[in-house]
Amino acid sequence: MILEAAGLRKSFDGFEAVGGVDLAVGEGAVHALIGPNGAGKTTLFNLVTGELRPDAGKVLFAGQDVSRLSPHARCKVGMGRSFQRTHIFPKLSVFANIQSAILSREGRWLELYRFLGRRGGEEVQQIMDEIGLTDLAEVPAGQLSHGDQKRLELGIVLALQPRMMFLDEPTAGMAPHEKQAAMELIQSIVRSRGLTLLLTEHDMDVVFSVADIITVLHRGQIIAEGAPDEIRANEEVGDVYFGGSAWRSTFEESTATTD
């Protein structure tokens, strides 16, 4: 397992959002974390990636205890994260955004404030080619469409050279055709680079089309985990997630789409 979380707990003002969760992600897997609103999946995601400090429990990455490392330090050991809302420099070009991430990875923060020209251009070019933004290299990031901003954020994550990517709602705010293209791109990059992926996602069509393993949370606890077909057949998941009939309808539509 490349990622292991053991006994993670987190409370807010007496409310236990995550209650003693164990999570394991195998190397090379595409692992989805889902659950209804308030299930605790975002809190768990933030505990694993270091945005939140757990009240109890620990997180291991590639055998190393990273429980007390900052998000930046976790990036340095190979954990690359994106956010539901894009984290980009809107006034900088696509090229400069990716270039800045490379400098951050190399610990050259002071150079962010200098004129850098095309420094690191070969690696930046490779990443822009991968994410399909080469033709927009000089466009300020704030002028990109929402879908292209999400592509750029993916490129920023790749510039950190992660072993594992953590994507929080990677298709949030996208039109249906954009979602399909985005997930095809992510799958292609995961395969070509040999990465592991943990993602949260509300769109069930996306989840069931890309995930190898799905973990379902409800009220801060894991209630089911398994391959997509196993989750489809789980009545408890159907009862707590959408309500049984809606859940089965979603499965039927997802199955019809992927068959």
Side-chain angles (χ1 to χ4, degrees), residues 190-206:
V190 166
R191 287 194 299 266
S192 65
R193 288 189 174 231
L195 302 176
T196 304
L197 173 61
L198 178 67
L199 74 153
T200 65
E201 181 59 59
H202 275 99
D203 190 312
M204 291 298 101
D205 286 339
V206 169

PDB file of all heavy atoms in Angstrom, residues 190-206:
ATOM      1  N   VAL A 190      -2.362   9.228 -15.498  1.00  0.00           N
ATOM      2  CA  VAL A 190      -2.118   8.252 -14.432  1.00  0.00           C
ATOM      3  C   VAL A 190      -1.454   7.005 -14.998  1.00  0.00           C
ATOM      4  O   VAL A 190      -0.479   6.479 -14.439  1.00  0.00           O
ATOM      5  CB  VAL A 190      -3.436   7.902 -13.715  1.00  0.00           C
ATOM      6  CG1 VAL A 190      -3.277   6.654 -12.841  1.00  0.00           C
ATOM      7  CG2 VAL A 190      -3.899   9.069 -12.855  1.00  0.00           C
ATOM      8  N   ARG A 191      -1.956   6.529 -16.139  1.00  0.00           N
ATOM      9  CA  ARG A 191      -1.385   5.320 -16.745  1.00  0.00           C
ATOM     10  C   ARG A 191       0.026   5.573 -17.266  1.00  0.00           C
ATOM     11  O   ARG A 191       0.947   4.789 -17.026  1.00  0.00           O
ATOM     12  CB  ARG A 191      -2.291   4.825 -17.876  1.00  0.00           C
ATOM     13  CG  ARG A 191      -3.577   4.173 -17.413  1.00  0.00           C
ATOM     14  CD  ARG A 191      -4.234   3.415 -18.569  1.00  0.00           C
ATOM     15  NE  ARG A 191      -4.578   4.318 -19.670  1.00  0.00           N
ATOM     16  CZ  ARG A 191      -5.755   4.893 -19.821  1.00  0.00           C
ATOM     17  NH1 ARG A 191      -6.706   4.685 -18.933  1.00  0.00           N
ATOM     18  NH2 ARG A 191      -5.996   5.682 -20.856  1.00  0.00           N
ATOM     19  N   SER A 192       0.203   6.674 -18.011  1.00  0.00           N
ATOM     20  CA  SER A 192       1.500   6.915 -18.654  1.00  0.00           C
ATOM     21  C   SER A 192       2.601   7.196 -17.643  1.00  0.00           C
ATOM     22  O   SER A 192       3.762   6.831 -17.866  1.00  0.00           O
ATOM     23  CB  SER A 192       1.392   8.075 -19.652  1.00  0.00           C
ATOM     24  OG  SER A 192       1.104   9.295 -18.986  1.00  0.00           O
ATOM     25  N   ARG A 193       2.251   7.825 -16.524  1.00  0.00           N
ATOM     26  CA  ARG A 193       3.245   8.155 -15.508  1.00  0.00           C
ATOM     27  C   ARG A 193       3.333   7.114 -14.389  1.00  0.00           C
ATOM     28  O   ARG A 193       4.180   7.243 -13.507  1.00  0.00           O
ATOM     29  CB  ARG A 193       2.944   9.527 -14.901  1.00  0.00           C
ATOM     30  CG  ARG A 193       3.233  10.692 -15.843  1.00  0.00           C
ATOM     31  CD  ARG A 193       3.126  12.010 -15.118  1.00  0.00           C
ATOM     32  NE  ARG A 193       3.531  13.142 -15.936  1.00  0.00           N
ATOM     33  CZ  ARG A 193       4.407  14.065 -15.558  1.00  0.00           C
ATOM     34  NH1 ARG A 193       4.995  13.987 -14.371  1.00  0.00           N
ATOM     35  NH2 ARG A 193       4.697  15.088 -16.342  1.00  0.00           N
ATOM     36  N   GLY A 194       2.453   6.137 -14.403  1.00  0.00           N
ATOM     37  CA  GLY A 194       2.472   5.108 -13.365  1.00  0.00           C
ATOM     38  C   GLY A 194       2.117   5.646 -11.991  1.00  0.00           C
ATOM     39  O   GLY A 194       2.709   5.237 -10.982  1.00  0.00           O
ATOM     40  N   LEU A 195       1.144   6.553 -11.941  1.00  0.00           N
ATOM     41  CA  LEU A 195       0.772   7.211 -10.693  1.00  0.00           C
ATOM     42  C   LEU A 195      -0.351   6.466  -9.977  1.00  0.00           C
ATOM     43  O   LEU A 195      -1.059   5.651 -10.567  1.00  0.00           O
ATOM     44  CB  LEU A 195       0.322   8.644 -10.962  1.00  0.00           C
ATOM     45  CG  LEU A 195       1.326   9.561 -11.653  1.00  0.00           C
ATOM     46  CD1 LEU A 195       0.690  10.913 -11.946  1.00  0.00           C
ATOM     47  CD2 LEU A 195       2.577   9.729 -10.805  1.00  0.00           C
ATOM     48  N   THR A 196      -0.524   6.796  -8.703  1.00  0.00           N
ATOM     49  CA  THR A 196      -1.682   6.386  -7.914  1.00  0.00           C
ATOM     50  C   THR A 196      -2.584   7.600  -7.779  1.00  0.00           C
ATOM     51  O   THR A 196      -2.108   8.739  -7.715  1.00  0.00           O
ATOM     52  CB  THR A 196      -1.241   5.900  -6.523  1.00  0.00           C
ATOM     53  OG1 THR A 196      -0.285   4.844  -6.688  1.00  0.00           O
ATOM     54  CG2 THR A 196      -2.422   5.391  -5.711  1.00  0.00           C
ATOM     55  N   LEU A 197      -3.900   7.371  -7.745  1.00  0.00           N
ATOM     56  CA  LEU A 197      -4.850   8.480  -7.673  1.00  0.00           C
ATOM     57  C   LEU A 197      -5.899   8.221  -6.604  1.00  0.00           C
ATOM     58  O   LEU A 197      -6.520   7.164  -6.574  1.00  0.00           O
ATOM     59  CB  LEU A 197      -5.545   8.659  -9.028  1.00  0.00           C
ATOM     60  CG  LEU A 197      -6.700   9.665  -9.096  1.00  0.00           C
ATOM     61  CD1 LEU A 197      -6.225  11.065  -8.750  1.00  0.00           C
ATOM     62  CD2 LEU A 197      -7.353   9.649 -10.477  1.00  0.00           C
ATOM     63  N   LEU A 198      -6.068   9.202  -5.714  1.00  0.00           N
ATOM     64  CA  LEU A 198      -7.202   9.229  -4.793  1.00  0.00           C
ATOM     65  C   LEU A 198      -8.012  10.471  -5.133  1.00  0.00           C
ATOM     66  O   LEU A 198      -7.479  11.578  -5.181  1.00  0.00           O
ATOM     67  CB  LEU A 198      -6.739   9.292  -3.337  1.00  0.00           C
ATOM     68  CG  LEU A 198      -7.859   9.373  -2.278  1.00  0.00           C
ATOM     69  CD1 LEU A 198      -8.656   8.080  -2.235  1.00  0.00           C
ATOM     70  CD2 LEU A 198      -7.282   9.684  -0.892  1.00  0.00           C
ATOM     71  N   LEU A 199      -9.318  10.294  -5.382  1.00  0.00           N
ATOM     72  CA  LEU A 199     -10.151  11.428  -5.720  1.00  0.00           C
ATOM     73  C   LEU A 199     -11.459  11.402  -4.956  1.00  0.00           C
ATOM     74  O   LEU A 199     -11.958  10.341  -4.581  1.00  0.00           O
ATOM     75  CB  LEU A 199     -10.450  11.486  -7.219  1.00  0.00           C
ATOM     76  CG  LEU A 199     -11.441  10.482  -7.815  1.00  0.00           C
ATOM     77  CD1 LEU A 199     -12.088  11.064  -9.062  1.00  0.00           C
ATOM     78  CD2 LEU A 199     -10.755   9.167  -8.173  1.00  0.00           C
ATOM     79  N   THR A 200     -11.988  12.599  -4.684  1.00  0.00           N
ATOM     80  CA  THR A 200     -13.364  12.749  -4.237  1.00  0.00           C
ATOM     81  C   THR A 200     -14.160  13.245  -5.429  1.00  0.00           C
ATOM     82  O   THR A 200     -13.646  14.001  -6.258  1.00  0.00           O
ATOM     83  CB  THR A 200     -13.495  13.760  -3.080  1.00  0.00           C
ATOM     84  OG1 THR A 200     -13.129  15.062  -3.547  1.00  0.00           O
ATOM     85  CG2 THR A 200     -12.611  13.365  -1.909  1.00  0.00           C
ATOM     86  N   GLU A 201     -15.407  12.828  -5.520  1.00  0.00           N
ATOM     87  CA  GLU A 201     -16.198  13.196  -6.686  1.00  0.00           C
ATOM     88  C   GLU A 201     -17.674  12.972  -6.389  1.00  0.00           C
ATOM     89  O   GLU A 201     -18.046  11.956  -5.791  1.00  0.00           O
ATOM     90  CB  GLU A 201     -15.768  12.362  -7.905  1.00  0.00           C
ATOM     91  CG  GLU A 201     -16.496  12.648  -9.188  1.00  0.00           C
ATOM     92  CD  GLU A 201     -16.357  14.097  -9.636  1.00  0.00           C
ATOM     93  OE1 GLU A 201     -15.228  14.562  -9.850  1.00  0.00           O
ATOM     94  OE2 GLU A 201     -17.409  14.762  -9.758  1.00  0.00           O
ATOM     95  N   HIS A 202     -18.514  13.929  -6.799  1.00  0.00           N
ATOM     96  CA  HIS A 202     -19.956  13.800  -6.624  1.00  0.00           C
ATOM     97  C   HIS A 202     -20.627  13.105  -7.803  1.00  0.00           C
ATOM     98  O   HIS A 202     -21.685  12.498  -7.646  1.00  0.00           O
ATOM     99  CB  HIS A 202     -20.602  15.186  -6.452  1.00  0.00           C
ATOM    100  CG  HIS A 202     -20.575  15.678  -5.042  1.00  0.00           C
ATOM    101  ND1 HIS A 202     -19.622  16.570  -4.584  1.00  0.00           N
ATOM    102  CD2 HIS A 202     -21.364  15.393  -3.983  1.00  0.00           C
ATOM    103  CE1 HIS A 202     -19.844  16.818  -3.295  1.00  0.00           C
ATOM    104  NE2 HIS A 202     -20.888  16.126  -2.912  1.00  0.00           N
ATOM    105  N   ASP A 203     -20.040  13.208  -8.978  1.00  0.00           N
ATOM    106  CA  ASP A 203     -20.659  12.672 -10.186  1.00  0.00           C
ATOM    107  C   ASP A 203     -20.456  11.152 -10.233  1.00  0.00           C
ATOM    108  O   ASP A 203     -19.345  10.665 -10.421  1.00  0.00           O
ATOM    109  CB  ASP A 203     -20.046  13.335 -11.419  1.00  0.00           C
ATOM    110  CG  ASP A 203     -20.796  13.005 -12.695  1.00  0.00           C
ATOM    111  OD1 ASP A 203     -21.081  11.818 -12.924  1.00  0.00           O
ATOM    112  OD2 ASP A 203     -21.084  13.936 -13.470  1.00  0.00           O
ATOM    113  N   MET A 204     -21.545  10.409 -10.068  1.00  0.00           N
ATOM    114  CA  MET A 204     -21.441   8.951 -10.017  1.00  0.00           C
ATOM    115  C   MET A 204     -21.031   8.349 -11.349  1.00  0.00           C
ATOM    116  O   MET A 204     -20.380   7.305 -11.386  1.00  0.00           O
ATOM    117  CB  MET A 204     -22.765   8.339  -9.550  1.00  0.00           C
ATOM    118  CG  MET A 204     -23.097   8.629  -8.098  1.00  0.00           C
ATOM    119  SD  MET A 204     -21.868   7.941  -6.945  1.00  0.00           S
ATOM    120  CE  MET A 204     -20.894   9.415  -6.565  1.00  0.00           C
ATOM    121  N   ASP A 205     -21.405   8.976 -12.470  1.00  0.00           N
ATOM    122  CA  ASP A 205     -20.946   8.479 -13.764  1.00  0.00           C
ATOM    123  C   ASP A 205     -19.426   8.507 -13.834  1.00  0.00           C
ATOM    124  O   ASP A 205     -18.792   7.574 -14.341  1.00  0.00           O
ATOM    125  CB  ASP A 205     -21.538   9.318 -14.902  1.00  0.00           C
ATOM    126  CG  ASP A 205     -23.012   9.037 -15.134  1.00  0.00           C
ATOM    127  OD1 ASP A 205     -23.477   7.963 -14.713  1.00  0.00           O
ATOM    128  OD2 ASP A 205     -23.693   9.890 -15.720  1.00  0.00           O
ATOM    129  N   VAL A 206     -18.845   9.575 -13.334  1.00  0.00           N
ATOM    130  CA  VAL A 206     -17.392   9.690 -13.305  1.00  0.00           C
ATOM    131  C   VAL A 206     -16.793   8.620 -12.405  1.00  0.00           C
ATOM    132  O   VAL A 206     -15.878   7.886 -12.784  1.00  0.00           O
ATOM    133  CB  VAL A 206     -16.967  11.091 -12.821  1.00  0.00           C
ATOM    134  CG1 VAL A 206     -15.470  11.135 -12.520  1.00  0.00           C
ATOM    135  CG2 VAL A 206     -17.327  12.146 -13.852  1.00  0.00           C
TER     136      VAL A 206
END
